Amino acid sequence: MDTEASSLTSQPSFRSRALATEAVHAGRDDLASLGLHAAPIDLSTTYPSYDSRGEAARIDAFAATGARPDGPPVYARLDNPTTGRFETALARLEGAASAVAFASGMAALTAVLLARASLGLRHVVAVRPLYGCSDHLLGAGLLGTEVTWTDPAGVADAIRPDTGLVMVETPANPTLAELDIRAVAHSCGSVPLLVDNTFATPVLQRPLEHGARIVLHSATKYLGGHGDVMGGVVACDEEFAATLRQVRFATGGVLHPMAGYLLLRGLSTLPVRIRAASASAAELARRLSADPRVARVHYPEMGGAMVSFEVFGDPHRIIAGVRLITPAVSLGSVDTLIQHPASISHRIVGEGDRKAAGVGDRLLRMSVGLEDVEDLWADLCQALSDRSAAPPARPGAAAVTPTAPPTGSPAGRGAGQEPRPVGP
């Protein structure tokens, strides 16, 4: 294996404590020694130094290596201690050596693509569906990249000498289809596999343990968890993290320290939120599967707080009919959100590609929050009861089996099972 591949593969394990414990304490281990209980927020954009020669040497070192500078910060675009706490915590939760945070999930993906392209590796192999804007960024060639779309079984054949990355999202947005990360990683050979882990979070899945070498999160979603912060983060080995820091410094896609503070705070309740919302989502998936007004339900085998379902009637009337559930883009908040992917999150994807990936015109995506499940079901029922949402007349309507994964994926998970946490 070449040097670059070896460095990307090396993933030392830092986590000796249970995931719930790490979620509370990672990134905060030094607070007691500082005489603090809550993590501080450092809002400085610049930092004083009376040793200009020393500053020059530290800046030169960063330019050469991308390593975080020793000593006090130099400039907020280079590093920030509050953001650094979040990066440390997320790396621990994912079992990675390092993590690098960005202003959004798309800024994080952009940095990864630029980092690989800087080595002349501009070709990407990707499996649909992905988040619509990720799909667009890859396919539009805005960064000079070229993409080959394939199914999981075709990854090995799609790899070329200039392939810099294989990208998958599992469970996928918005169909919740799952794939076997370990099998895909094996097909990648020396090419790094990037897994978008936004939907699962490290509570349900840690891709690095299954052969992935880069993990991407839209931190705006479950990591923040309250719909009030935007960010993105990449977990990986330290060598690739150093390159990402250089890209971040050059392009300015930095995470604001206030966002870093909110994301660190969000991580402390991540396991509790994911498990509570997953239990409600599984119950809603079970009820939707038995509802004659619903044509099909998608719910992942691993569980989770996302449910997608296809209706017989007009999905737009259901969006307009909810009262407790919020009709809005995004996901992962403490309140339940619902949206129509074909109109919103995946509108930017060509219609043929979108439908071929299973994102049909009657598909609705729901991010289940922390409300009482009976209240959520009552709201769904009244929205589905609109006459435009009624199924066509047909005898013997039957319940629909949740989640049909793509070729090469594990069998669908039955709705109603408890979500399966990962780790001790």
Side-chain angles (χ1 to χ4, degrees):
M1 184 178 290
D2 58 32
T3 302
E4 182 215 5
S6 178
S7 69
L8 280 167
T9 304
S10 176
Q11 299 294 346
S13 176
F14 290 90
R15 194 170 56 76
S16 59
R17 301 180 293 199
L19 181 73
T21 303
E22 287 287 16
V24 172
H25 290 279
R28 305 168 179 83
D29 299 285
D30 64 330
L31 293 182
S33 66
L34 296 174
L36 299 173
H37 182 240
I41 307 173
D42 187 331
L43 295 174
S44 296
T45 57
T46 191
Y47 299 85
S49 172
Y50 294 94
D51 181 5
S52 56
R53 290 187 180 89
E55 288 295 82
R58 292 206 297 153
I59 292 172
D60 286 347
F62 175 80
T65 68
R68 297 177 69 176
D70 293 329
V74 177
Y75 183 55
R77 186 153 49 88
L78 190 153
D79 196 21
N80 174 273
T82 304
T83 298
R85 288 182 182 277
F86 165 65
E87 292 172 331
T88 297
L90 190 277
R92 293 284 290 271
L93 291 180
E94 283 288 3
S98 298
V100 183
F102 295 85
S104 69
M106 292 308 302
L109 176 57
T110 296
V112 171
L113 295 174
L114 290 175
R116 301 302 287 161
S118 71
L119 302 175
L121 302 172
R122 297 182 177 274
H123 179 243
V124 178
V125 175
V127 177
R128 279 190 172 118
L130 298 174
Y131 168 53
C133 289
S134 298
D135 188 305
H136 176 68
L137 182 63
L138 293 177
L142 294 171
L143 301 178
T145 55
E146 178 187 352
V147 63
T148 296
W149 299 101
T150 184
D151 61 24
V155 167
D157 291 338
I159 290 174
R160 310 184 323 205
D162 63 336
T163 302
L165 193 71
V166 175
M167 181 173 180
V168 301
E169 183 176 5
T170 180
N173 185 354
T175 65
L176 304 179
E178 298 171 272
L179 53 76
D180 186 333
I181 295 173
R182 192 175 300 279
V184 174
H186 178 76
S187 299
C188 291
S190 63
V191 177
L193 171 63
L194 180 153
V195 174
D196 187 329
N197 203 31
T198 299
F199 277 20
T201 81
V203 176
L204 299 178
Q205 170 178 271
R206 283 188 290 275
L208 297 179
E209 295 178 354
H210 301 282
R213 285 143 68 176
I214 304 169
V215 177
L216 174 73
H217 286 273
S218 173
T220 309
K221 313 307 193 295
Y222 288 108
L223 302 189
H226 292 74
D228 57 5
V229 59
M230 184 170 287
V233 63
V234 177
C236 55
D237 79 333
E238 172 54 28
E239 183 172 345
F240 190 57
T243 303
L244 291 177
R245 291 188 199 104
Q246 292 176 312
V247 172
R248 182 178 65 181
F249 180 76
T251 60
V254 296
L255 182 72
H256 191 276
M258 180 61 76
Y261 169 82
L262 290 173
L263 290 172
L264 180 67
R265 188 177 70 169
L267 289 185
S268 63
T269 61
L270 178 66
V272 176
R273 289 186 284 105
I274 290 294
R275 288 169 177 142
S278 296
S280 293
E283 175 62 17
L284 291 175
R286 183 188 67 80
R287 296 186 188 190
L288 287 166
S289 295
D291 195 304
R293 298 165 294 185
V294 176
R296 189 180 184 189
V297 174
H298 305 263
Y299 189 64
E301 182 179 354
M302 71 172 60
M306 299 297 299
V307 180
S308 292
F309 57 100
E310 300 167 35
V311 296
F312 287 110
D314 181 359
H316 301 285
R317 296 296 294 268
I318 296 169
I319 292 289
V322 292
R323 294 294 177 263
L324 176 66
I325 298 169
T326 303
V329 299
S330 200
L331 56 108
S333 183
V334 291
D335 60 320
T336 299
L337 308 176
I338 192 169
Q339 65 118 324
H340 182 242
S343 298
I344 308 294
S345 63
H346 289 70
R347 180 101 182 147
I348 203 167
V349 180
E351 182 179 6
D353 292 332
R354 173 172 55 78
K355 290 185 174 180
V359 188
D361 292 334
R362 297 185 183 275
L363 181 72
L364 293 168
R365 189 194 75 187
M366 184 166 60
S367 167
V368 179
L370 301 181
E371 303 95 336
D372 188 276
V373 70
E374 297 299 337
D375 291 328
L376 293 173
W377 180 243
D379 194 38
L380 278 175
C381 274
Q382 63 85 22
L384 285 165
S385 293
D386 185 286
R387 63 182 180 180
S388 65
R394 62 189 182 101
V400 180
T401 303
T403 306
T407 303
S409 298
R413 176 182 186 276
Q417 289 180 252
E418 286 298 314
R420 177 178 55 83
V422 175

